Amino acid sequence: MNAPTKTTGPTAPTSDTPVVSPGARRLGLSRGLALRGVVIAAVVLAAGMAVPYIVLDRFYISMLFDGLVLALLALSVGFLARHLGLISLGHTAFYGGAAYLVGISVTQWGWSPLMAALTGLVGGTVLALVMALLVVRSSGMGFLMLTLALGQALYQLSIQRVAIPYTGAFDGLQISFDADATFLGLSVAQMMNGALFWPVVWTALVLSALGLWLVGRSRFGTVLEGIRENEERMRFSGFNTYWPRVLAFTISGAVASVGGVLFALNAAYVSPDVLSFLKAGDALIAAIVGGLGVLLGPILGALLYIVAQSQFNQSGNLYLYTGLALILVLMFLPGGILGSISSIRKRLARRSAKENSP
Amino acid sequence: MTLFQGTGVTVRYGAVKALTDVDITLEPGVVHGVIGPNGAGKSTFIDALSGRTRMTSGTVLLEGEDITNRPVGWRRHHGVSRSFQRTSVFNSMTVRTQLEMVAWRNDEPDLDGLMATLGLEPVLDQVCNEIAYGTQRSVDLAMALIGSPRVVLLDEPCAGLVADESVRMLQHVRDLCKDRGVAALLVEHDVDGVFRTCDRITVLNLGTVLASGEPAEIRANPDVVRAYLGSAA
């Protein structure tokens, strides 16, 4: 019996190539694949630098800028959903926590923007690590509630009377940098200008996406997938299933922190909004609309979300239209926009493979 | 020294005694079958020995070392592996990816050979939930055998298989156990299969050992015949 190899996707080997090559280990990231990813990221990085020269309107560029910041948050939420199958409503804690840390270290301790940025990043990441130690064992609804509780706890903390000298509570925290302070060669005024700060945020976003892609494609990513699929079998196969989840959660929290830091530097103002439930909802909706199952889905979703919000807002019925749009996407594109595109492509490829083989 | 030993294995769920004082010894290259009617405690027994269920009392020894309180990951690294009654595979991964993943963690020198023995080559690049159920059971077994564990605890590897698949599966188990010198514990519903496959048999009934010995002794044991085998034997 000589059955032809069934082709399952566009990248599956043709029936001529031997399926088993002795000794071949394809698990994890091959050097060629990693290199291809890096090259693509470099091209995208370079191309994106042109955006401020194309979008000249100040309103639109700052809107896109907000989209990039939201994209970082949505990217971190999407990473957790994709690799651990967990939905977090608490990533605002790392995003907002990092933003507040930037503000506090500038206003209270008089640190330079760069030092403040590093403090925010490290602080947000450490918070994510501590949180991870506590919550990654829970799943589904428990995880959702625990992360929500963390986000809300930090929100409440920020508006306490004792916190007013640090956070300004509902008044928010105006970050007054030194007049001659610079961040990566940018003056304070340049930092607050979306077009001029664009390269920094774009670079951060592309590098974060590349980093998360490399993690997902590595052996570590495969282990995460195994844990998501069947945690018990992983343990009985000799894998530790706790620390990989902690690490993945921490990585995700670090990306959210990057978003928070860049937001604070650009806005020079932090209010409890950055810790709010609505912010967590924004990121989650953006990630779902773009596609949780695809790396770039949350980024596309965030940009669309920001643009759509500014359109919806003109009518004064922002959340009504947001809700309607979300319902439409979930009904007709259940995998999100990018997720649906890739599943349609797979289906077409399978159909054409079936037609080609007798 | 005995390779793997469970002594006085007792598991209680509240007032319910699932297992009382069950002993077993496993030796290299010997397939040890465990049979018994429904509710006899067969699956609980394998769960207790593998660390999935906490024992109320009793000890598990590996080469004389007490491993009763060792986590399952530790046991796997030290050569005690198990399969599951309800197929436990990684549904959305390809067969190749999941086997390579487990092989990477457990240092399997001859994964290709193992995959060939179990007839998995044709489905290597298919996603696990798209392959036939019987093949999924083979993937499950393959994962338990990767890394040449010294002790393999198999929980009804033939559950849900049709008759000829069942025969083939048990043949694989016996061959792999003999070739690799593995000590195997085989919990199985299919009594004929167990008598055909195993070198020693323990019969459980209501959570206690009814009889233990060579297949011929078990078949002749009047208690076993009365309680379990009935006229079938």
Side-chain angles (χ1 to χ4, degrees):
Chain A
M1 295 298 281
N2 205 351
T5 317
K6 193 180 156 205
T7 318
T8 50
T11 54
T14 62
S15 51
D16 297 339
T17 44
V19 177
V20 187
S21 41
R25 290 286 172 268
R26 286 206 249 146
L27 190 64
L29 197 59
S30 70
R31 194 165 290 176
L33 186 65
L35 199 66
R36 218 178 317 154
V38 170
V39 168
I40 290 173
V43 171
V44 171
L45 181 62
M49 292 298 178
V51 170
Y53 300 99
I54 297 165
V55 182
L56 294 170
D57 187 298
R58 262 195 95 141
F59 172 74
Y60 285 113
I61 191 75
S62 70
M63 190 170 78
L64 285 179
F65 182 92
D66 290 346
L68 292 194
V69 171
L70 182 64
L72 278 163
L73 185 56
L75 192 62
S76 68
V77 172
F79 176 77
L80 264 198
R82 195 166 69 257
H83 290 288
L84 292 186
L86 295 171
I87 300 289
S88 166
L89 283 174
H91 268 51
T92 46
F94 318 128
Y95 173 85
Y100 266 112
L101 263 177
V102 170
I104 290 169
S105 50
V106 169
T107 53
Q108 295 287 321
W109 308 324
W111 289 359
S112 71
L114 184 62
M115 273 304 292
L118 290 176
T119 309
L121 177 58
V122 171
T125 308
V126 169
L127 182 62
L129 171 65
V130 173
M131 186 64 187
L133 294 173
L134 301 174
V135 302
V136 294
R137 272 192 219 277
S138 63
S139 60
M141 191 57 77
F143 184 85
L144 198 74
M145 289 298 113
L146 283 168
T147 50
L148 176 63
L150 173 80
Q152 291 301 291
L154 230 61
Y155 175 82
Q156 290 299 328
L157 193 65
S158 76
I159 57 173
Q160 292 299 310
R161 192 181 285 264
V162 290
I164 288 176
Y166 298 95
T167 66
F170 287 117
D171 293 338
L173 173 63
Q174 198 73 45
I175 308 177
S176 37
F177 296 103
D178 283 344
D180 57 348
T182 57
F183 178 74
L184 304 177
L186 294 168
S187 74
V188 174
Q190 288 170 325
M191 222 154 61
M192 290 170 71
N193 178 327
L196 297 175
F197 201 38
W198 177 276
V200 176
V201 179
W202 181 250
T203 306
L205 180 63
V206 173
L207 291 184
S208 299
L210 174 66
L212 294 182
W213 180 78
L214 290 172
V215 168
R217 281 303 186 96
S218 66
R219 280 181 176 179
F220 177 67
T222 308
V223 169
L224 290 179
E225 194 185 343
I227 295 172
R228 185 195 67 202
E229 283 286 306
N230 193 339
E231 195 263 341
E232 179 176 62
R233 188 70 204 229
M234 285 300 273
R235 278 191 290 119
F236 277 99
S237 299
F239 289 89
N240 182 312
T241 60
Y242 178 66
W243 292 110
R245 282 186 287 180
V246 169
L247 183 57
F249 189 97
T250 309
I251 290 172
S252 159
V255 172
S257 305
V258 171
V261 165
L262 296 175
F263 165 80
L265 290 177
N266 172 249
Y269 171 76
V270 189
S271 76
D273 285 350
V274 295
L275 289 168
S276 73
F277 181 53
L278 278 176
K279 190 80 200 171
D282 287 347
L284 187 57
I285 293 171
I288 290 173
V289 167
L292 281 174
V294 190
L295 175 77
L296 299 180
I299 297 179
L300 175 73
L303 290 170
L304 271 178
Y305 188 81
I306 289 287
V307 172
Q309 292 255 295
S310 85
Q311 298 300 316
F312 295 160
N313 209 9
Q314 284 166 4
S315 71
N317 282 320
L318 173 61
Y319 285 100
L320 175 65
Y321 290 123
T322 306
L324 284 175
L326 182 61
I327 289 170
L328 288 177
V329 168
L330 288 179
M331 280 179 68
F332 296 107
L333 302 168
I337 294 168
L338 282 187
S340 299
I341 291 175
S342 79
S343 70
I344 289 169
R345 253 184 43 199
K346 260 182 215 153
R347 212 177 304 156
L348 288 179
R350 200 172 300 174
R351 189 176 301 166
S352 71
K354 224 173 253 172
E355 276 163 11
N356 291 343
S357 63
Chain B
M1 192 191 305
T2 322
L3 178 56
F4 186 87
Q5 195 173 10
T7 51
V9 176
T10 303
V11 177
R12 277 195 211 107
Y13 301 112
V16 181
K17 290 179 183 172
L19 282 177
T20 310
D21 219 8
V22 179
D23 296 330
I24 199 156
T25 52
L26 304 180
E27 301 289 353
V30 176
V31 186
H32 194 133
V34 175
I35 55 174
N38 280 328
K42 303 188 297 289
S43 283
T44 307
F45 187 44
I46 228 168
D47 285 350
L49 291 178
S50 65
R52 192 186 191 203
T53 296
R54 226 184 157 70
M55 289 189 280
T56 311
S57 64
T59 48
V60 179
L61 304 177
L62 178 66
E63 288 184 321
E65 188 193 345
D66 187 347
I67 64 163
T68 314
N69 294 315
R70 295 285 189 181
V72 293
W74 186 95
R75 294 175 197 229
R76 184 67 170 90
H77 286 299
H78 290 76
V80 184
S81 135
R82 71 164 289 174
S83 74
F84 291 82
Q85 182 183 354
R86 271 186 48 209
T87 312
S88 182
V89 292
F90 301 95
N91 279 321
S92 72
M93 290 178 157
T94 64
V95 172
R96 183 197 299 278
T97 305
Q98 56 191 290
L99 293 180
E100 285 183 354
M101 178 178 75
V102 176
W104 165 61
R105 192 77 186 89
N106 294 289
D107 297 321
E108 169 63 44
D110 185 26
L111 182 59
D112 294 327
L114 181 63
M115 295 190 294
T117 313
L118 288 168
L120 292 174
E121 280 152 326
V123 297
L124 281 180
D125 289 305
Q126 289 187 41
V127 177
C128 215
N129 62 7
E130 288 176 357
I131 63 177
Y133 183 74
T135 319
Q136 288 184 10
R137 299 246 36 142
S138 295
V139 174
D140 194 318
L141 180 65
M143 278 198 281
L145 293 171
I146 281 171
S148 303
R150 291 176 292 167
V151 180
V152 180
L153 311 170
L154 301 170
D155 192 359
E156 301 206 22
C158 301
L161 297 187
V162 297
D164 60 330
E165 283 178 325
S166 223
V167 169
R168 220 172 320 136
M169 175 65 82
L170 290 177
Q171 194 58 47
H172 279 322
V173 168
R174 187 169 173 85
D175 292 347
L176 286 162
C177 170
K178 297 293 171 193
D179 291 349
R180 296 182 164 214
V182 175
L185 179 75
L186 176 68
V187 165
E188 189 47 70
H189 223 78
D190 170 12
V191 177
D192 291 338
V194 169
F195 276 106
R196 225 173 27 244
T197 313
C198 298
D199 306 304
R200 291 186 65 80
I201 294 174
T202 294
V203 185
L204 290 182
N205 190 28
L206 300 172
T208 56
V209 177
L210 193 62
S212 188
E214 312 250 320
E217 297 171 48
I218 297 296
R219 215 185 281 269
N221 186 310
D223 290 339
V224 176
V225 173
R226 197 174 332 111
Y228 180 46
L229 294 176
S231 54

